Amino acid sequence: MEPPMEQSGGEQEPGAVRLLDLPWEDVLLPHVLNWVPLRQLLRLQRVSRAFRALVQLHLARLRRFDAAQVGSQIPRAALARLLRDAEGLQELALAPCHEWLSDEDLVPVLARNPQLRSVALAGCGQLSRRALGALAEGCPRLQRLSLAHCDWVDGLALRGLADRCPALEELDLTACRQLKDEAIVYLAQRRGAGLRSLSLAVNANVGDTAVQELARNCPQLEHLDLTGCLRVGSDGVRTLAEYCPALRSLRVRHCHHVAEPSLSRLRKRGVDIDVEPPLHQALVLLQDMAGFAPFVNLQV
Protein backbone atom coordinates (compact mmCIF):
# COMPACT_ATOMS: atom_id res chain seq x y z
CA MET A 1 0.00 0.00 0.00
CA GLU A 2 1.32 3.44 -0.94
CA PRO A 3 1.16 6.01 1.89
CA PRO A 4 -1.09 9.04 1.40
CA MET A 5 1.01 12.04 0.53
CA GLU A 6 0.79 15.28 2.45
CA GLN A 7 2.65 18.52 2.22
CA SER A 8 5.42 18.55 4.77
CA GLY A 9 4.85 22.19 5.53
CA GLY A 10 8.57 22.99 5.23
CA GLU A 11 11.72 22.46 3.27
CA GLN A 12 12.99 18.90 2.88
CA GLU A 13 16.66 18.23 2.33
CA PRO A 14 17.50 16.67 -1.04
CA GLY A 15 17.59 12.88 -0.77
CA ALA A 16 16.02 12.86 2.69
CA VAL A 17 13.45 10.15 3.41
CA ARG A 18 10.54 10.78 5.76
CA LEU A 19 9.17 8.01 7.95
CA LEU A 20 5.94 7.83 5.99
CA ASP A 21 7.89 7.45 2.74
CA LEU A 22 8.95 3.95 3.81
CA PRO A 23 6.79 1.06 2.54
CA TRP A 24 3.89 0.61 4.91
CA GLU A 25 3.10 -3.07 4.38
CA ASP A 26 6.69 -4.31 4.22
CA VAL A 27 8.47 -2.02 6.70
CA LEU A 28 6.38 0.26 8.92
CA LEU A 29 3.60 -2.12 9.93
CA PRO A 30 5.60 -5.30 10.68
CA HIS A 31 8.92 -3.79 11.79
CA VAL A 32 8.07 -0.44 13.38
CA LEU A 33 4.50 -0.15 14.64
CA ASN A 34 4.52 -3.66 16.09
CA TRP A 35 7.10 -2.44 18.61
CA VAL A 36 5.36 0.80 19.58
CA PRO A 37 3.16 0.63 22.73
CA LEU A 38 -0.52 1.03 21.97
CA ARG A 39 -0.82 4.16 24.09
CA GLN A 40 1.92 5.84 22.03
CA LEU A 41 0.21 4.82 18.80
CA LEU A 42 -2.94 6.59 19.90
CA ARG A 43 -0.91 9.76 20.33
CA LEU A 44 0.86 9.25 17.03
CA GLN A 45 -2.38 9.19 15.07
CA ARG A 46 -3.04 12.80 16.14
CA VAL A 47 0.03 14.07 14.27
CA SER A 48 -1.51 14.10 10.79
CA ARG A 49 -4.07 12.43 8.54
CA ALA A 50 -1.36 10.19 7.13
CA PHE A 51 -0.28 8.98 10.54
CA ARG A 52 -3.92 8.44 11.48
CA ALA A 53 -4.42 6.27 8.41
CA LEU A 54 -1.28 4.30 9.22
CA VAL A 55 -2.33 3.65 12.83
CA GLN A 56 -5.84 2.64 11.78
CA LEU A 57 -4.39 0.16 9.33
CA HIS A 58 -2.20 -1.23 12.10
CA LEU A 59 -5.17 -1.56 14.45
CA ALA A 60 -7.13 -3.42 11.79
CA ARG A 61 -4.30 -5.96 11.58
CA LEU A 62 -3.89 -6.50 15.33
CA ARG A 63 -3.46 -10.06 16.57
CA ARG A 64 -3.36 -9.16 20.27
CA PHE A 65 -5.29 -6.44 22.11
CA ASP A 66 -4.88 -5.78 25.83
CA ALA A 67 -6.88 -2.82 27.08
CA ALA A 68 -4.38 -2.42 29.92
CA GLN A 69 -1.90 -1.07 27.36
CA VAL A 70 -4.20 1.90 26.83
CA GLY A 71 -4.67 2.68 30.51
CA SER A 72 -6.33 1.63 33.71
CA GLN A 73 -9.62 3.11 32.50
CA ILE A 74 -10.69 3.16 28.86
CA PRO A 75 -13.94 4.84 27.70
CA ARG A 76 -16.54 2.84 25.80
CA ALA A 77 -16.23 5.06 22.71
CA ALA A 78 -12.45 4.65 22.66
CA LEU A 79 -12.69 0.86 22.74
CA ALA A 80 -15.20 0.89 19.90
CA ARG A 81 -12.89 3.05 17.77
CA LEU A 82 -9.85 0.92 18.49
CA LEU A 83 -11.51 -2.37 17.57
CA ARG A 84 -13.96 -1.30 14.88
CA ASP A 85 -11.84 -2.68 12.00
CA ALA A 86 -10.05 -5.52 13.82
CA GLU A 87 -10.90 -8.86 12.21
CA GLY A 88 -7.85 -11.00 12.97
CA LEU A 89 -7.56 -10.89 16.75
CA GLN A 90 -6.21 -14.00 18.43
CA GLU A 91 -5.87 -12.58 21.97
CA LEU A 92 -8.28 -10.19 23.67
CA ALA A 93 -7.98 -8.87 27.24
CA LEU A 94 -10.61 -6.43 28.52
CA ALA A 95 -10.26 -6.40 32.31
CA PRO A 96 -9.83 -2.57 32.46
CA CYS A 97 -13.30 -2.26 30.91
CA HIS A 98 -14.95 -4.28 33.67
CA GLU A 99 -17.05 -1.43 35.06
CA TRP A 100 -19.03 -0.85 31.87
CA LEU A 101 -18.38 -3.62 29.33
CA SER A 102 -21.74 -5.01 28.19
CA ASP A 103 -22.96 -7.63 25.75
CA GLU A 104 -23.61 -4.88 23.21
CA ASP A 105 -19.96 -3.80 23.41
CA LEU A 106 -18.43 -7.27 23.27
CA VAL A 107 -20.59 -9.42 21.01
CA PRO A 108 -19.83 -7.48 17.76
CA VAL A 109 -16.09 -7.76 18.47
CA LEU A 110 -16.41 -11.51 18.96
CA ALA A 111 -18.40 -11.85 15.75
CA ARG A 112 -15.65 -10.13 13.72
CA ASN A 113 -12.84 -12.21 15.24
CA PRO A 114 -13.57 -15.95 14.95
CA GLN A 115 -9.85 -16.76 15.25
CA LEU A 116 -9.72 -15.78 18.93
CA ARG A 117 -7.69 -18.21 21.01
CA SER A 118 -7.34 -16.29 24.29
CA VAL A 119 -9.99 -14.09 25.95
CA ALA A 120 -9.70 -12.42 29.38
CA LEU A 121 -12.89 -10.98 30.86
CA ALA A 122 -11.95 -11.02 34.55
CA GLY A 123 -14.27 -8.88 36.63
CA CYS A 124 -16.59 -7.96 33.74
CA GLY A 125 -19.72 -8.22 35.80
CA GLN A 126 -22.02 -6.37 33.37
CA LEU A 127 -21.88 -9.18 30.82
CA SER A 128 -24.43 -11.97 30.64
CA ARG A 129 -24.89 -15.50 29.40
CA ARG A 130 -25.45 -14.02 25.93
CA ALA A 131 -21.84 -12.89 25.64
CA LEU A 132 -20.49 -16.29 26.64
CA GLY A 133 -22.85 -17.93 24.16
CA ALA A 134 -21.55 -15.70 21.37
CA LEU A 135 -17.98 -16.55 22.34
CA ALA A 136 -18.64 -20.27 22.37
CA GLU A 137 -20.61 -20.18 19.14
CA GLY A 138 -18.32 -17.90 17.16
CA CYS A 139 -14.81 -18.75 18.39
CA PRO A 140 -14.31 -22.53 18.03
CA ARG A 141 -10.52 -22.24 18.40
CA LEU A 142 -10.70 -20.78 21.90
CA GLN A 143 -7.96 -22.20 24.13
CA ARG A 144 -7.71 -19.84 27.12
CA LEU A 145 -10.55 -18.05 28.90
CA SER A 146 -10.65 -16.03 32.12
CA LEU A 147 -14.04 -15.40 33.71
CA ALA A 148 -12.73 -14.71 37.20
CA HIS A 149 -15.13 -12.75 39.43
CA CYS A 150 -17.94 -12.92 36.85
CA ASP A 151 -20.92 -13.67 39.08
CA TRP A 152 -23.24 -14.07 36.10
CA VAL A 153 -21.54 -17.31 35.01
CA ASP A 154 -23.88 -20.13 35.95
CA GLY A 155 -24.21 -23.79 35.08
CA LEU A 156 -26.14 -23.15 31.88
CA ALA A 157 -23.56 -20.66 30.61
CA LEU A 158 -20.73 -23.07 31.36
CA ARG A 159 -22.57 -25.92 29.65
CA GLY A 160 -22.66 -23.98 26.38
CA LEU A 161 -18.94 -23.32 26.64
CA ALA A 162 -18.21 -26.99 27.30
CA ASP A 163 -20.32 -28.07 24.33
CA ARG A 164 -18.82 -25.74 21.73
CA CYS A 165 -15.14 -25.16 22.59
CA PRO A 166 -13.25 -28.37 21.80
CA ALA A 167 -9.81 -26.70 21.98
CA LEU A 168 -10.25 -25.30 25.51
CA GLU A 169 -7.11 -25.84 27.63
CA GLU A 170 -7.08 -23.12 30.32
CA LEU A 171 -10.12 -21.85 32.20
CA ASP A 172 -10.30 -19.45 35.15
CA LEU A 173 -13.59 -19.64 37.06
CA THR A 174 -12.34 -17.97 40.24
CA ALA A 175 -15.22 -16.63 42.34
CA CYS A 176 -17.91 -17.66 39.84
CA ARG A 177 -20.08 -18.36 42.86
CA GLN A 178 -23.15 -19.66 41.06
CA LEU A 179 -21.30 -22.75 39.86
CA LYS A 180 -22.02 -26.01 41.62
CA ASP A 181 -20.67 -29.54 41.37
CA GLU A 182 -23.04 -30.44 38.54
CA ALA A 183 -21.65 -27.76 36.24
CA ILE A 184 -18.02 -28.76 36.88
CA VAL A 185 -18.86 -32.43 36.37
CA TYR A 186 -20.36 -31.59 32.97
CA LEU A 187 -17.29 -29.55 32.05
CA ALA A 188 -15.02 -32.42 33.04
CA GLN A 189 -16.94 -34.97 31.02
CA ARG A 190 -17.15 -32.79 27.90
CA ARG A 191 -13.79 -31.01 27.86
CA GLY A 192 -11.69 -32.81 30.44
CA ALA A 193 -9.43 -34.60 27.98
CA GLY A 194 -7.85 -31.33 26.87
CA LEU A 195 -7.87 -29.28 30.07
CA ARG A 196 -4.44 -28.31 31.38
CA SER A 197 -5.22 -25.49 33.81
CA LEU A 198 -8.36 -24.80 35.84
CA SER A 199 -9.14 -22.41 38.68
CA LEU A 200 -12.20 -22.98 40.84
CA ALA A 201 -10.91 -20.81 43.68
CA VAL A 202 -13.36 -19.16 46.08
CA ASN A 203 -16.28 -21.33 44.96
CA ALA A 204 -17.94 -22.49 48.14
CA ASN A 205 -20.41 -24.70 46.23
CA VAL A 206 -17.68 -26.86 44.65
CA GLY A 207 -16.78 -30.02 46.54
CA ASP A 208 -15.25 -33.47 46.25
CA THR A 209 -17.78 -34.68 43.68
CA ALA A 210 -16.52 -32.13 41.15
CA VAL A 211 -12.85 -32.67 42.00
CA GLN A 212 -13.12 -36.45 41.68
CA GLU A 213 -14.81 -36.15 38.29
CA LEU A 214 -12.13 -33.73 37.14
CA ALA A 215 -9.45 -36.18 38.24
CA ARG A 216 -11.01 -39.07 36.32
CA ASN A 217 -11.54 -37.08 33.11
CA CYS A 218 -8.52 -34.74 32.96
CA PRO A 219 -5.36 -36.83 32.45
CA GLN A 220 -3.43 -33.79 31.13
CA LEU A 221 -4.35 -31.48 34.01
CA GLU A 222 -1.24 -29.60 35.18
CA HIS A 223 -2.56 -26.77 37.38
CA LEU A 224 -5.61 -26.82 39.65
CA ASP A 225 -6.59 -24.00 42.01
CA LEU A 226 -9.07 -24.95 44.74
CA THR A 227 -8.23 -22.09 47.11
CA GLY A 228 -11.11 -21.43 49.47
CA CYS A 229 -13.27 -24.30 48.19
CA LEU A 230 -14.56 -25.14 51.65
CA ARG A 231 -16.38 -28.32 50.60
CA VAL A 232 -13.29 -29.93 49.06
CA GLY A 233 -11.72 -32.57 51.29
CA SER A 234 -9.13 -35.31 51.35
CA ASP A 235 -11.16 -37.69 49.18
CA GLY A 236 -10.95 -35.34 46.21
CA VAL A 237 -7.21 -34.79 46.66
CA ARG A 238 -6.55 -38.55 46.89
CA THR A 239 -8.37 -39.02 43.59
CA LEU A 240 -6.21 -36.33 41.99
CA ALA A 241 -3.10 -38.17 43.14
CA GLU A 242 -4.39 -41.38 41.61
CA TYR A 243 -5.65 -40.16 38.23
CA CYS A 244 -3.65 -37.00 37.34
CA PRO A 245 -0.05 -37.98 36.52
CA ALA A 246 0.67 -34.63 34.81
CA LEU A 247 -0.32 -32.48 37.82
CA ARG A 248 2.40 -29.91 38.61
CA SER A 249 0.71 -27.50 41.01
CA LEU A 250 -2.23 -27.67 43.41
CA ARG A 251 -3.67 -24.80 45.44
CA VAL A 252 -5.65 -25.87 48.51
CA ARG A 253 -5.11 -23.00 50.95
CA HIS A 254 -8.16 -22.49 53.17
CA CYS A 255 -9.51 -25.93 52.23
CA HIS A 256 -9.86 -26.91 55.87
CA HIS A 257 -11.01 -30.49 55.21
CA VAL A 258 -7.88 -31.42 53.22
CA ALA A 259 -5.52 -33.34 55.52
CA GLU A 260 -1.80 -33.85 55.07
CA PRO A 261 -1.95 -37.62 54.40
CA SER A 262 -3.91 -36.95 51.19
CA LEU A 263 -1.27 -34.40 50.07
CA SER A 264 1.82 -36.44 50.88
CA ARG A 265 1.56 -38.62 47.77
CA LEU A 266 1.51 -35.51 45.59
CA ARG A 267 4.42 -33.99 47.49
CA LYS A 268 6.52 -37.09 46.84
CA ARG A 269 5.90 -36.62 43.11
CA GLY A 270 7.17 -33.05 43.30
CA VAL A 271 3.80 -31.35 42.90
CA ASP A 272 3.94 -27.72 44.05
CA ILE A 273 1.41 -27.30 46.88
CA ASP A 274 0.72 -23.96 48.53
CA VAL A 275 0.19 -25.46 51.97
CA GLU A 276 3.35 -26.14 53.98
CA PRO A 277 3.81 -29.65 55.40
CA PRO A 278 3.56 -30.13 59.17
CA LEU A 279 6.49 -28.94 61.24
CA HIS A 280 7.85 -32.38 62.03
CA GLN A 281 8.03 -33.24 58.34
CA ALA A 282 9.88 -30.00 57.65
CA LEU A 283 12.38 -30.86 60.40
CA VAL A 284 12.96 -34.34 58.98
CA LEU A 285 13.56 -32.84 55.56
CA LEU A 286 16.02 -30.32 56.99
CA GLN A 287 17.88 -33.08 58.86
CA ASP A 288 18.19 -35.12 55.67
CA MET A 289 19.54 -32.13 53.76
CA ALA A 290 21.88 -30.65 56.38
CA GLY A 291 22.81 -33.75 58.38
CA PHE A 292 21.64 -32.36 61.70
CA ALA A 293 18.44 -31.58 63.54
CA PRO A 294 18.17 -28.00 64.81
CA PHE A 295 16.89 -27.33 68.28
CA VAL A 296 13.28 -26.18 68.18
CA ASN A 297 11.39 -25.20 71.31
CA LEU A 298 7.90 -26.61 70.96
CA GLN A 299 6.79 -25.75 74.50
CA VAL A 300 3.56 -23.85 74.79
Side-chain angles (χ1 to χ4, degrees):
M1 174 178 177
E2 292 297 327
M5 298 302 295
E6 290 188 345
Q7 296 297 324
S8 63
E11 296 292 334
Q12 183 174 340
E13 297 182 7
V17 178
R18 297 180 302 175
L19 178 64
L20 291 176
D21 291 333
L22 297 173
W24 287 20
E25 297 282 353
D26 298 328
V27 177
L28 292 182
L29 291 173
H31 300 297
V32 178
L33 267 67
N34 274 345
W35 299 98
V36 179
L38 189 56
R39 186 180 301 184
Q40 300 303 323
L41 286 177
L42 299 182
R43 295 175 180 174
L44 182 64
Q45 69 177 349
R46 302 172 187 169
V47 173
S48 68
R49 289 193 299 272
F51 273 112
R52 183 164 59 249
L54 176 63
V55 171
Q56 289 174 345
L57 182 60
H58 170 72
L59 293 173
R61 295 158 53 105
L62 279 180
R63 295 294 177 266
R64 179 179 185 273
F65 180 84
D66 185 350
Q69 295 180 359
V70 181
S72 58
Q73 294 181 341
I74 175 173
R76 174 180 275 112
L79 181 72
R81 286 196 302 270
L82 289 170
L83 296 180
R84 66 184 179 186
D85 297 320
E87 296 182 350
L89 287 174
Q90 296 181 5
E91 299 181 35
L92 179 63
L94 296 176
C97 310
H98 68 276
E99 292 185 355
W100 54 262
L101 188 71
S102 68
D103 294 350
E104 288 69 26
D105 301 310
L106 180 61
V107 170
V109 177
L110 299 176
R112 292 194 299 268
N113 293 274
Q115 307 298 320
L116 277 167
R117 290 173 170 80
S118 176
V119 177
L121 301 172
C124 294
Q126 304 302 315
L127 297 175
S128 75
R129 195 184 297 151
R130 177 191 167 205
L132 195 56
L135 178 63
E137 186 74 30
C139 304
R141 299 186 182 183
L142 187 68
Q143 296 175 335
R144 298 178 297 278
L145 176 62
S146 174
L147 296 170
H149 302 280
C150 291
D151 289 335
W152 51 269
V153 177
D154 57 11
L156 187 58
L158 189 63
R159 179 179 290 261
L161 187 73
D163 285 338
R164 297 185 177 91
C165 295
L168 193 62
E169 295 181 356
E170 301 178 18
L171 182 59
D172 188 348
L173 298 172
T174 298
C176 294
R177 296 183 177 89
Q178 291 196 57
L179 295 177
K180 301 180 180 180
D181 279 350
E182 294 79 5
I184 306 305
V185 167
Y186 190 85
L187 173 70
Q189 293 173 347
R190 293 289 293 169
R191 295 277 74 89
L195 276 181
R196 296 181 180 274
S197 179
L198 177 64
S199 176
L200 299 173
V202 203
N203 283 318
N205 294 318
V206 172
D208 278 344
T209 299
V211 175
Q212 290 173 326
E213 199 66 20
L214 284 167
R216 295 187 180 101
N217 289 275
C218 304
Q220 299 187 68
L221 190 64
E222 298 178 3
H223 307 285
L224 179 61
D225 191 343
L226 301 172
T227 303
C229 292
L230 303 180
R231 294 179 57 238
V232 171
S234 295
D235 289 344
V237 174
R238 279 192 290 267
T239 310
L240 288 171
E242 182 176 358
Y243 287 96
C244 295
L247 195 65
R248 294 168 51 194
S249 72
L250 177 65
R251 300 289 175 260
V252 288
R253 191 175 298 276
H254 305 304
C255 295
H256 304 300
H257 299 295
V258 175
E260 177 59 28
S262 66
L263 296 171
S264 60
R265 184 175 173 183
L266 292 170
R267 294 192 198 278
K268 291 177 182 178
R269 283 172 29 194
V271 176
D272 178 38
I273 299 174
D274 63 340
V275 176
E276 293 295 329
L279 179 58
H280 73 276
Q281 292 192 14
L283 292 176
V284 170
L285 178 62
L286 181 60
Q287 182 177 10
D288 291 342
M289 295 175 60
F292 67 94
F295 174 78
V296 178
N297 188 351
L298 296 179
Q299 294 182 354
V300 178

